Amino acid sequence: MESQNPAARVVGGSTGGGAPRGSAHGSLETLLTEVTDGVLVVTFNRPDVRNAINRQVQHDLRTVLDRARGDDDVHTIVLTGAGEKAFIAGADISQVAGYTKATALDSDLQRLFDLVEDFPKPTIAAVNGYALGGGCEIAMACDIRIASETARFGLPETALSVLPGAGGTQRLARLVGTGRAIELILTGRMVDADEALRIGLVTQVAPAEQLLQTAREVAATIAARGPLATRLAKLVIRAGMDADQRTGQVVERLAQAVLYESDDKREGTDAFLSKRPAAFHGR
């Protein structure tokens, strides 16, 4: 994605619609990427099929995550979809038709979404339309979900006699509660943005024309804070979800011990006492 903003740069070498640019990780055919002020915006760019996930999308997303992980210019990531109709309308059904039990056991998509959830830098889903099936699942794998007023969420897999197998059964129950998750998955019912906000599936709803700017502002707010603190806070919260409270608090103490000895902590407290902006370096 080329930008008129001179501070922006392309990551991963994608031009989306034209001939892809080369990169150390190979070309990107299905994603647009741009970094501005520490925020990497990744756009799923298959609007002709409502940004459906196929093997190439999976490959390209892995490439972007691998590159962004070690890129010091990237502090937060925003995922969104091209066009006005869909964030991601699900998996490419033409590929799903050929899936077997071996596909399920290998579970490339589940492992990819685990990478999104475990990514060390904060992630935000800017959901600009239909987020169905795998689209809803990848949004749930992100740390924060901001929905357009036109967004629609759903897990319709049972209509194909399959289930949400990329982490959807587990993440939805943790976000909205077991009973509501069972109802939504068994019926395949879609929820609009207002209901998604009410049940805790998303954290914020924005007008369609302001969605990406809203996500950028949230991402920039996070990016301005201590990067070690935000990464460890995310890690501690995620780890605590799979442990009892006492174990979670032990992990919390250990993370705090690391932060108390960090250069960033010293910079943060010095900047506060000196009434100046902090200049964090992630160490």
Side-chain angles (χ1 to χ4, degrees):
M1 178 187 287
E2 299 293 345
S3 172
Q4 301 302 312
N5 185 340
R9 66 178 177 84
V10 174
V11 170
S14 171
T15 59
R21 298 174 180 172
S23 76
H25 299 283
S27 298
L28 302 180
E29 299 178 13
T30 63
L31 303 180
L32 301 175
T33 61
E34 181 186 86
V35 178
T36 307
D37 298 329
V39 179
L40 168 60
V41 176
V42 179
T43 304
F44 295 92
N45 190 38
R46 302 182 75 214
D48 53 324
V49 290
R50 297 193 177 186
N51 304 320
I53 298 173
N54 63 4
R55 293 184 184 89
Q56 188 62 46
V57 173
Q58 295 178 56
H59 172 270
D60 288 351
L61 184 56
R62 286 180 185 275
T63 297
V64 169
L65 293 175
D66 286 345
R67 174 161 290 195
R69 182 183 301 272
D71 190 337
D72 292 338
D73 290 333
V74 174
H75 302 298
T76 55
I77 296 180
V78 173
L79 302 181
T80 195
E84 299 178 356
K85 293 183 178 180
F87 171 66
I88 298 170
D92 190 321
I93 302 302
S94 65
Q95 291 188 0
V96 175
Y99 286 174
T100 67
K101 62 184 177 183
T103 312
L105 293 173
D106 190 45
S107 195
D108 281 345
L109 199 59
Q110 187 183 91
R111 289 187 286 112
L112 175 60
F113 292 177
D114 285 347
L115 286 180
V116 174
E117 183 175 72
D118 296 336
F119 195 72
K121 301 174 184 182
T123 55
I124 299 172
V127 181
N128 53 306
Y130 288 105
L132 305 178
C136 185
E137 288 180 293
I138 194 171
M140 290 191 294
C142 291
D143 299 316
I144 297 171
R145 287 157 296 284
I146 302 173
S148 160
E149 291 174 337
T150 61
R152 298 291 184 272
F153 297 84
L155 294 169
E157 285 88 347
T158 53
L160 302 178
S161 198
V162 296
L163 53 77
T169 59
Q170 304 306 301
R171 291 189 177 101
L172 185 63
R174 285 163 169 78
L175 286 168
V176 306
T178 302
R180 198 181 299 274
I182 290 174
E183 182 258 326
L184 291 174
I185 291 172
L186 268 57
T187 65
R189 181 174 68 85
M190 283 193 290
V191 300
D192 61 19
D194 287 340
E195 183 176 358
L197 179 63
R198 188 169 65 251
I199 65 178
L201 183 54
V202 302
T203 54
Q204 188 174 349
V205 175
E209 66 277 8
Q210 297 176 19
L211 174 66
L212 193 53
Q213 181 58 32
T214 300
R216 286 181 183 273
E217 289 172 357
V218 173
T221 297
I222 295 170
R225 308 185 79 80
L228 283 178
T230 56
R231 292 189 195 187
L232 283 173
K234 169 179 171 173
L235 185 153
V236 170
I237 293 168
R238 294 287 192 192
M241 288 293 295
D242 296 320
D244 61 272
Q245 182 173 330
R246 184 66 63 187
T247 300
Q249 289 179 195
V250 170
V251 177
E252 181 183 82
R253 290 202 299 272
L254 294 173
Q256 189 75 297
V258 171
L259 291 171
Y260 277 175
E261 296 292 328
S262 69
D263 291 343
D264 277 0
K265 174 260 187 180
R266 285 185 284 274
E267 167 62 15
T269 53
D270 287 348
F272 180 85
L273 294 172
S274 302
K275 296 182 172 56
R276 62 172 175 81
F280 297 115
H281 298 289
R283 54 179 186 268

